[in-house]
């Protein structure tokens, strides 16, 4: 079977918008263009109908009530609203004082969680950054160990965006309930792919994003629990009082309609997709680890998303690898932060060394990924790693049994 190049295997970065989603959105640009906030004429009412339907579709996907869904511009905004909004609302002391309350998060969270937490530290909150195990997981036991009398908020992502590892969310949520701390989860990589129920999973606040689940970019939602307990938040963005005052600003009607449709499609196709993608992931991991030596799959063996794998290749240089497989779109373990090429802080948090982190690939499949594409990508990766290693004196030494970590290099 032939494949078209390039091949897209970076669905954890963003997904193609499903054409059925685009179709649902289109009328909301040119026909149903009213402002849903216009309560006194039909143009507003029909736009509002579209919003209502979408709100229900999002709520249904996560087992929530539609009144608990706040539309935002995406998960970055949802995380900011959840974390800063809850911290400010449940703070122990006034702004400017210290000891305003304790927050628990993890070292390998997304920047959209870490940076709001850092901001709160500057504003007088204490933040504990949990260190994951070598398997990448954050367990309820770890959270329990960090829990304090003054813990007001715990924010732990559901599935990690670089590793696909799945944290113990229902258990962490239960623990937070017992301690009276608000529990937020960044579920951007989880929702739409895996079954979610905010009630049985013990969640108070949950972030999700359209473009990670075949919806449009620039739209997302925050789930805010209304009962047991009723979670309150200080608004970050103020103005017209839309979204029950949590998020002012004219609603992105077409985007929200698209997000709703994306949720409906994910719910309908989740089971079969999970099964299909897990088989493909297992094929990738099985072939790469059996046909190449000195490779490791990062993160827990089973507690990982079906469609994502992160693999480190010893004795290849990350940049040469990316060049060699450039017709395959994947993410590398190096984050291009400004000019410097830093190894991924996520892999570092797991104790993966800098060299291996640099030569890591995140391969993330999706709804449009075919088995033929996966086969092509596996062949290409294996062939490229073999070629690059032929040129590597370190790999030769390794094969001769020399432990290169013990070599004392001469400084020139
Ligand atoms: C993509 C992503 C975000 C950011 O979402 P946007 O909608 O692009 O702002 C936050 N958290 C995780 C885990 C992500 O994967």
């Amino acid at each position: 079977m032939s494949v078209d190049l390039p091949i897209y295997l970076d669905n954890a970065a963003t997904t193609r918008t499903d054409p059925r989603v685009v179709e649902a959105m289109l009328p909301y640009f040119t026909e149903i263009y009213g402002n849903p906030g216009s309560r006194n004429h039909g143009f507003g009412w029909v736009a509002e109908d579209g919003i209502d339907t979408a709100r229900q579709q999002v709520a249904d996907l996560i087992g929530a009530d539609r009144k608990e869904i706040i539309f935002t511009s995406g998960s970055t905004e949802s995380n900011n609203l959840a974390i800063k909004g809850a911290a400010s609302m449940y703070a122990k002391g006034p702004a400017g004082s210290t000891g305003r309350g304790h927050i628990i998060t993890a070292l390998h969270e997304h920047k959209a969680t870490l940076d709001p937490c850092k901001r709160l530290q500057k504003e007088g909150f204490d933040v504990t950054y949990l260190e994951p195990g070598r398997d990448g997981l954050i367990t309820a036991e770890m959270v329990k160990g960090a829990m304090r009398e003054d813990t007001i908020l715990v924010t732990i992502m559901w599935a990690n965006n670089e590793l696909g590892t799945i944290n113990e969310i229902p258990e962490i949520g239960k623990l937070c309930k017992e301690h009276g701390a608000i529990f937020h989860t960044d579920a951007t990589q989880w929702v739409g792919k895996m079954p979610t129920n905010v009630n049985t999973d013990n969640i108070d606040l949950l972030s999700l994003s359209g473009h990670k689940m075949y919806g449009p970019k620039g739209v997302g939602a925050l789930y805010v629990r209304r009962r047991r307990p009723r979670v309150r938040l200080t608004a970050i963005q103020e103005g017209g009082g839309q979204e029950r005052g949590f998020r002012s600003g004219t609603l992105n009607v077409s985007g929200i309609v698209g997000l709703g449709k994306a949720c409906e499609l994910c719910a309908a196709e989740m089971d079969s997709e999970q099964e299909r993608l897990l088989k493909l992931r297992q094929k990738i991991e099985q072939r790469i680890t059996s046909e190449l030596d000195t490779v490791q799959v990062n993160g827990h063996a089973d507690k990982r998303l079906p469609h994502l794998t992160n693999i480190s290749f010893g004795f290849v240089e990350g940049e040469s690898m990316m060049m060699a497989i450039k017709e395959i779109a994947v993410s590398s373990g190096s984050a291009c932060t400004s000019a410097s090429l830093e190894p991924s802080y996520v892999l570092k948090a797991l104790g993966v060394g800098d060299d291996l982190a640099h030569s890591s690939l995140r391969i993330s499949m999706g709804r449009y990924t075919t088995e033929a594409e996966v086969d092509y990508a596996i062949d290409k990766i294996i062939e490229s790693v073999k070629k690059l290693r032929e040129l590597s004196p370190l790999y030769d030494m390794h094969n001769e049994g020399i432990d290169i970590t013990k070599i004392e290099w001469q400084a020139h």
Side-chain angles (χ1 to χ4, degrees), residues 101-120:
H102 178 231
I103 297 165
I104 300 173
T105 186
L107 275 177
H108 61 330
E109 288 284 319
H110 193 276
K111 293 285 184 195
T113 291
L114 293 175
D115 285 357
C117 287
K118 279 188 205 142
R119 159 83 55 195
L120 290 171

Side-chain angles (χ1 to χ4, degrees), residues 12 73-76 79 110 112 157 159 161 186 188-189 209 211-212:
S73 63
S75 279
T76 300
N79 285 0
H110 193 276
M157 70 199 327
N161 50 297
D186 175 352
T188 313
Q189 296 286 345
S209 180
H211 75 101
K212 303 284 175 83

Side-chain angles (χ1 to χ4, degrees), residues 55 68-72 81 220-222 224 243-244 246-247:
R55 209 183 289 283
E68 298 175 308
I69 304 300
I70 305 299
F71 290 116
T72 66
L81 175 56
L222 179 66
V224 183
E243 298 299 272
R244 296 175 29 232
F246 284 126
R247 203 278 192 176

Side-chain angles (χ1 to χ4, degrees), residues 79-93 100-103 116-117 119-121 123-127 152-154 182 205 231-234 236:
N79 285 0
N80 271 270
L81 175 56
I83 296 168
K84 294 177 187 167
S88 156
M89 181 56 77
Y90 296 95
K92 306 268 180 208
R100 300 183 69 203
H102 178 231
I103 297 165
C117 287
R119 159 83 55 195
L120 290 171
Q121 268 179 300
E123 294 174 1
F125 294 88
D126 283 341
V127 181
I152 54 174
L153 173 69
V154 174
I182 300 292
L205 296 163
V231 175
R232 294 177 305 146
L233 297 174
T234 305
I236 303 297

